[in-house]
Amino acid sequence: MAAAPAAGAGAGRGRRSAATVAAWGGWGGRPRPGNILLQLRQGQLTGRGLVRAVQFTESFLTERDKQSKWSGIPQLLLKLYATSHLHSDFIECQNILKEISPLLSMEAMAFVTEDRKLTQETTYPNTYIFDLFGGVDLLVEILMRPTISTRGQKLKISDEMSKDCLSILYNTCVCTEGVTKRLAEKNDFVIFLFTLMTSKKTFLQTATLIEDILGVKKEMIRLDEVPNLSSLVSNFDQQQLANFCRILAVTISEMDTGNDDKHTLLAKNAQQKKSLSLGPSAAEINQAALLSIPGFVERLCKLATRKVSESTGTASFLQELEEWYTWLDNALVLDALMRVANEESEHSQGTSEENGLPHTSARTQLPQSMKIMHEIMYKLEVLYVLCVLLMGRQRNQVHRMIAEFKLIPGLNNLFDKLIWRKHSASALVLHGHNQNCDCSPDITLKIQFLRLLQSFSDHHENKYLLLNNQELNELSAISLKANIPEVEAVLNTDRSLVCDGKRGLLTRLLQVMKKEPAESSFRFWQARAVESFLRGTTSYADQMFLLKRGLLEHILYCIVDSECKSRDVLQSYFDLLGELMKFNVDAFKRFNKYINTDAKFQVFLKQINSSLVDSNMLVRCVTLSLDRFENQVDMKVAEVLSECRLLAYISQVPTQMSFLFRLINIIHVQTLTQENVSCLNTSLVILMLARRKERLPLYLRLLQRMEHSKKYPGFLLNNFHNLLRFWQQHYLHKDKDSTCLENSSCISFSYWKETVSILLNPDRQSPSALVSYIEEPYMDIDRDFTEE
């Protein structure tokens, strides 16, 4: 078979005027031999001249086919045009589609099973020729014929014919570059595709094609434009809904959320201002559309928590996969699931031969891991959708529903057998991946589960649903023993919605966290999920609950004894350690007991000082704790103050100044992100506490001296001045939630604002104003943030 040229090949050769190209485009015209494919591509790009097979005579196409070996595809397209008009016999049309389909499916099969490197070097002539002679546009027209009324009646085409059209379109998208993008530009076609999901016969093909199209679409589709969306989704069975979540994952996630830690806050703020003027984003509109569908969240919760043994309807669903091999991008998984289909068909209908499925002896010995992988593959998508909804504008509504439908206890019951099951040698992985790859279904499910827990717990009183009744009682007992009031959220927790069994979800997470190998990719996400439970107003009972389970010792082991090298994991551990120890004298006693030698303490300091961006939250928590302990009259506190190496180290003014200098020096307005803005807030905490002790001028004077000693007079303080101006714009915005700063520091936000205002005072006579310490020749405080 002759190799087809790549799209756009030869564009610089043999160019002809548009008039000449148009002249070639008459019905039954005979273009100059040798340039046909180039002319067709040029016609598609310009919309003029040769664009379809119907513009050639059949005899000409047959003659050229002998020479170019086009597999008869242009002639078949010519017949398809003739048999697919409004008043045609669609039976003949369908027969032609049956001839075309295998010619393209063989190439698509090669594409999804061959090594990716090889596929990049391989051309796919049949799909290329099919598209080049107008096949893609013709199939779109055929599929959309029912949307055209003729004499008051709507045309109908069979599900089988729709299925063939979709299959051919998808195979062409797989093999021929640019086809998916062209389809994505046809917004009416994309919307129309959703209506084809009403039929179970065409659901899988439609869903897979939509997913690929939405993946390359520049503008996000609006679900409220889909006709009868509510009834469409409500009529999905559980298997269909699970697969529909693959599509929803694209439609409810911001195309560029700006929530990525790497996005600068300047860019995010500009985007937020733009968004406010434009109104809700398409993703937000789509989230609202889904939440308005009765029972939608409840069904997702049931899907997420369904046990493997409760699988139903697998046979009828998987029979649809017989030729739809690209569904999971994994031939091994698909083969296994087909065996599930065969097995269940035999049980439900007597013999597999009745269903046209081959008999296999392996059918009766189906490994349980195959069924588990089936559950994992769709639970992934469901958990992702729930997670996105949980972080959206309707967060409280989603929180209430997730709690009511018992998602958390349901996941707790799945924890050991499905979510955190042990890997086995036979565990299936995605095509082209290995078992330890972060993209494998097993690993991705665990990460998605941890992200959901993080979103669920973060600054929300529903976090106590992660515990069981006995553990809630333990929290109450801790508060009673310490003679402090119980946390109101604990008292308000609906005991009928918490985890059941011997251990709650948080405790199970701690258990696997302590067993996790040092190099595990899960350590970051585990620490984040546990930290989110502690976020918000500091709770002594919450901290003690985790301390009693050895969490602090485990974190210190990872930081000091295993000398963790991963920056991401270290940051998550430092953040968690800070939340665990903040204001908690018992935690500092435990710290001192574990870090019991100077050698260990030096390793710990080395980890802290190696990257202040990673460790600054711990520095902040220790600084705040020291300030509180110094103001308490208590023997236990006094003992800790006298013995704890960490508190003694932080209490030294040179140490605080060293931290302050480096924190201000490593950030600039143009490079501030959600990840490193904490450095600015930590520097402010150090200065606020200095202000309380009337030492603010001393700290500013010391910063000035440090500038001069580094031979950069004015550089640091000018930078800090700009950072504080940005802080005012960022945190004093009317839509900005400042309670997290207040809760995490136990310093009123008004004191934060006052301190920043004092530091930014333009009066050079003020001893607490930054400008008083910047010499005139080095003054550079009026620069616009957008400069550079």
Side-chain angles (χ1 to χ4, degrees):
M1 184 177 287
R13 305 191 304 273
R15 290 187 179 177
R16 304 180 185 278
S17 69
T20 307
V21 172
W24 292 339
W27 290 84
R30 289 179 64 90
R32 181 175 300 180
N35 284 333
I36 294 174
L37 301 186
L38 179 61
Q39 294 164 32
L40 281 165
R41 178 58 70 204
Q42 188 71 20
Q44 285 186 351
L45 293 173
T46 63
R48 298 188 297 271
L50 296 177
V51 291
R52 295 191 172 195
V54 75
Q55 293 172 287
F56 303 91
T57 63
E58 186 174 4
S59 59
F60 172 74
L61 292 174
T62 302
E63 178 188 327
R64 288 307 306 272
D65 201 352
K66 292 175 185 176
Q67 182 182 343
S68 303
K69 297 182 180 178
W70 291 334
S71 303
I73 289 173
Q75 299 96 300
L76 288 170
L77 283 173
L78 199 60
K79 293 178 183 177
L80 194 60
Y81 275 108
T83 60
S84 63
H85 57 77
L86 284 174
H87 305 292
S88 302
D89 178 5
F90 282 101
I91 295 177
E92 180 59 27
C93 181
Q94 191 168 337
N95 289 335
I96 298 168
L97 289 171
K98 295 286 185 194
E99 286 188 64
I100 295 173
S101 186
L103 296 173
L104 276 57
S105 63
M106 288 172 62
E107 290 178 5
M109 175 66 88
F111 186 89
V112 297
T113 55
E114 284 182 12
D115 181 83
R116 287 289 169 180
K117 186 177 179 182
L118 292 175
T119 60
Q120 289 171 2
E121 299 169 358
T122 308
T123 54
Y124 295 91
N126 286 351
T127 47
Y128 183 82
I129 294 300
F130 177 81
D131 177 43
L132 209 55
F133 279 89
V136 169
D137 291 334
L138 177 58
L139 291 194
V140 169
E141 290 173 14
I142 291 172
L143 281 170
M144 294 192 70
R145 288 275 160 81
T147 62
I148 303 170
S149 296
T150 170
R151 296 180 182 177
Q153 292 185 332
K154 289 222 170 185
L155 186 69
K156 290 184 179 180
I157 61 175
S158 69
D159 287 342
E160 198 62 35
M161 185 167 162
S162 294
K163 192 173 171 181
D164 287 337
C165 288
L166 292 164
S167 219
I168 293 170
L169 279 177
Y170 182 75
N171 289 333
T172 310
C173 287
V174 165
C175 299
T176 305
E177 188 180 355
V179 174
T180 314
K181 287 184 178 178
R182 289 212 322 271
L183 291 178
E185 291 168 1
K186 302 176 185 290
N187 203 57
D188 55 341
F189 176 64
V190 180
I191 293 290
F192 167 76
L193 281 177
F194 279 85
T195 65
L196 295 182
M197 286 195 287
T198 54
S199 167
K200 289 190 177 183
K201 289 184 179 179
T202 59
F203 174 85
L204 197 58
Q205 280 79 5
T206 310
T208 313
L209 183 58
I210 291 175
E211 185 186 352
D212 273 26
I213 288 174
L214 295 185
V216 300
K217 192 168 174 59
K218 290 181 180 178
E219 297 84 22
M220 186 177 290
I221 195 169
R222 284 185 47 164
L223 292 177
D224 59 351
E225 294 178 356
V226 175
N228 305 313
L229 176 70
S230 182
S231 61
L232 175 72
V233 176
S234 297
N235 288 326
F236 286 155
D237 60 29
Q238 290 295 73
Q239 293 284 4
Q240 289 176 316
L241 183 61
N243 281 278
F244 187 59
C245 284
R246 294 165 69 97
I247 293 170
L248 296 184
V250 182
T251 63
I252 63 175
S253 305
E254 297 289 354
M255 286 183 152
D256 184 5
T257 60
N259 291 326
D260 187 335
D261 286 346
K262 307 307 177 190
H263 284 72
T264 67
L265 293 183
L266 275 175
K268 286 174 65 176
N269 288 352
Q271 182 61 40
Q272 285 174 354
K273 285 180 183 177
K274 184 178 178 182
S275 298
L276 286 173
S277 63
L278 295 174
S281 67
E284 290 170 335
I285 291 169
N286 290 343
Q287 291 174 28
L290 292 174
L291 290 174
S292 68
I293 299 173
F296 176 72
V297 172
E298 181 178 10
R299 292 184 69 193
L300 290 188
C301 290
K302 286 181 178 178
L303 270 172
T305 57
R306 189 181 74 169
K307 295 179 182 177
V308 180
S309 58
E310 294 172 7
S311 270
T312 55
T314 313
S316 61
F317 171 70
L318 291 173
Q319 285 171 33
E320 293 292 310
L321 298 179
E322 189 172 4
E323 75 283 354
W324 204 247
Y325 41 79
T326 52
W327 177 54
L328 294 177
D329 297 327
N330 185 338
L332 287 174
V333 175
L334 181 56
D335 290 345
L337 295 181
M338 284 307 300
R339 285 158 64 192
V340 176
N342 292 345
E343 180 190 48
E344 294 192 3
S345 295
E346 184 176 41
H347 284 300
S348 61
Q349 298 184 32
T351 64
S352 61
E353 284 78 2
E354 291 175 11
N355 295 302
L357 294 168
H359 180 83
T360 62
S361 58
R363 178 175 62 215
T364 57
Q365 298 294 325
L366 183 74
Q368 177 68 5
S369 63
M370 304 300 186
K371 290 183 179 180
I372 289 174
M373 188 54 62
H374 179 215
E375 294 289 321
I376 285 174
M377 290 300 293
Y378 76 68
K379 275 178 167 51
L380 261 174
E381 308 299 337
V382 173
L383 288 182
Y384 179 82
V385 170
L386 286 171
C387 193
V388 173
L389 292 175
L390 202 53
M391 295 187 292
R393 284 194 175 188
Q394 290 88 6
R395 185 190 183 202
N396 287 332
Q397 177 191 354
V398 178
H399 238 294
R400 178 180 52 76
M401 290 191 285
I402 282 178
E404 179 186 345
F405 303 133
K406 298 190 175 182
L407 175 69
I408 298 302
L411 292 176
N412 188 43
N413 293 333
L414 288 175
F415 189 86
D416 291 328
K417 291 185 178 178
L418 186 72
I419 297 171
W420 225 272
R421 69 195 183 100
K422 292 181 181 178
H423 286 290
S424 64
S426 63
L428 298 172
V429 297
L430 292 174
H431 179 68
H433 298 263
N434 62 56
Q435 199 172 34
N436 296 317
C437 172
D438 280 1
C439 299
S440 71
D442 251 330
I443 290 177
T444 312
L445 177 68
K446 290 178 173 65
I447 292 174
Q448 195 54 61
F449 164 77
L450 293 171
R451 292 185 68 183
L452 179 74
L453 289 195
Q454 180 185 352
S455 302
F456 184 82
S457 301
D458 194 20
H459 293 90
H460 203 286
E461 59 185 28
N462 271 355
K463 67 183 183 180
Y464 292 108
L465 298 181
L466 296 176
L467 310 182
N468 64 18
N469 273 301
Q470 185 179 347
E471 291 163 347
L472 284 171
N473 291 337
E474 184 181 337
L475 282 182
S476 300
I478 291 169
S479 298
L480 183 64
K481 184 179 179 181
N483 195 28
I484 57 175
E486 280 192 67
V487 176
E488 193 172 337
V490 174
L491 294 172
N492 293 337
T493 297
D494 185 341
R495 296 289 185 113
S496 69
L497 302 177
V498 301
C499 294
D500 48 18
K502 293 181 180 179
R503 295 181 296 275
L505 204 45
L506 182 64
T507 303
R508 288 181 188 273
L509 178 55
L510 291 175
Q511 288 179 324
V512 298
M513 185 176 179
K514 289 196 280 187
K515 296 176 183 176
E516 207 63 45
E519 70 284 358
S520 170
S521 59
F522 299 127
R523 285 191 169 275
F524 170 81
W525 294 106
Q526 289 168 338
R528 280 280 179 260
V530 177
E531 185 215 341
S532 69
F533 181 80
L534 290 171
R535 282 186 200 155
T537 305
T538 304
S539 165
Y540 174 80
D542 292 355
Q543 291 172 324
M544 291 308 299
F545 180 85
L546 297 174
L547 286 170
K548 287 168 70 175
R549 284 156 176 78
L551 180 59
L552 182 136
E553 289 79 7
H554 174 69
I555 297 171
L556 292 177
Y557 170 81
C558 295
I559 295 174
V560 176
D561 295 310
S562 71
E563 292 195 55
C564 174
K565 298 293 189 295
S566 166
R567 302 313 316 175
D568 286 339
V569 173
L570 263 180
Q571 181 178 359
S572 65
Y573 278 158
F574 281 130
D575 290 352
L576 176 54
L577 190 61
E579 291 294 339
L580 192 59
M581 294 178 66
K582 187 166 51 181
F583 307 134
N584 192 310
V585 69
D586 297 280
F588 280 90
K589 284 188 72 173
R590 283 174 175 259
F591 176 92
N592 212 44
K593 186 177 180 181
Y594 190 92
I595 306 294
N596 56 3
T597 66
D598 286 337
K600 278 189 172 184
F601 187 57
Q602 289 307 313
V603 173
F604 185 74
L605 289 186
K606 180 183 174 184
Q607 292 280 49
I608 285 180
N609 286 303
S610 63
S611 176
L612 270 183
V613 171
D614 300 327
S615 63
N616 84 88
M617 289 298 292
L618 175 64
V619 170
R620 187 194 307 183
C621 291
V622 176
T623 304
L624 286 163
S625 300
L626 174 67
D627 180 73
R628 176 173 291 192
F629 293 160
E630 286 177 337
N631 291 302
Q632 288 179 338
V633 181
D634 184 284
M635 290 296 293
K636 190 176 178 182
V637 172
E639 181 186 345
V640 168
L641 279 172
S642 64
E643 293 179 355
C644 184
R645 288 178 172 83
L646 185 57
L647 289 171
Y649 175 74
I650 293 290
S651 68
Q652 300 169 24
V653 173
T655 300
Q656 293 181 23
M657 292 309 304
S658 173
F659 280 136
L660 187 58
F661 186 89
R662 284 185 290 156
L663 286 167
I664 298 171
N665 198 39
I666 58 181
I667 51 175
H668 308 279
V669 172
Q670 285 76 17
T671 60
L672 274 181
T673 65
Q674 198 62 51
E675 181 184 6
N676 63 27
V677 72
S678 58
C679 294
L680 175 56
N681 289 321
T682 298
S683 65
L684 267 173
V685 164
I686 294 172
L687 291 177
M688 282 191 293
L689 297 182
R691 180 188 162 208
R692 277 184 181 174
K693 298 172 183 175
E694 299 183 346
R695 303 174 78 178
L696 185 55
L698 169 64
Y699 279 53
L700 296 180
R701 192 158 54 248
L702 290 173
L703 282 177
Q704 184 188 39
R705 289 177 187 172
M706 294 172 81
E707 271 187 334
H708 281 270
S709 69
K710 299 290 184 183
K711 310 298 184 190
Y712 289 113
F715 177 80
L716 185 88
L717 293 176
N718 274 307
N719 183 49
F720 193 38
H721 196 281
N722 281 329
L723 286 165
L724 293 180
R725 285 169 56 218
F726 175 80
W727 188 96
Q728 284 184 324
Q729 290 188 12
H730 184 69
Y731 283 102
L732 302 185
H733 192 275
K734 63 179 181 180
D735 292 329
K736 180 62 66 174
D737 184 8
S738 57
T739 54
C740 58
L741 285 181
E742 194 168 73
N743 289 338
S744 66
S745 64
C746 287
I747 299 174
S748 70
F749 190 62
S750 61
Y751 198 80
W752 284 79
K753 290 190 293 183
E754 287 171 13
T755 305
V756 173
S757 296
I758 288 170
L759 289 167
L760 293 179
N761 188 343
D763 183 4
R764 294 181 63 83
Q765 302 305 312
S766 170
S768 297
L770 285 174
V771 293
S772 301
Y773 301 89
I774 307 174
E775 297 170 34
E776 280 286 359
Y778 308 114
M779 188 76 70
D780 183 21
I781 62 174
D782 297 320
R783 185 186 305 168
D784 188 351
F785 298 144
T786 59
E787 289 180 7
E788 298 184 12

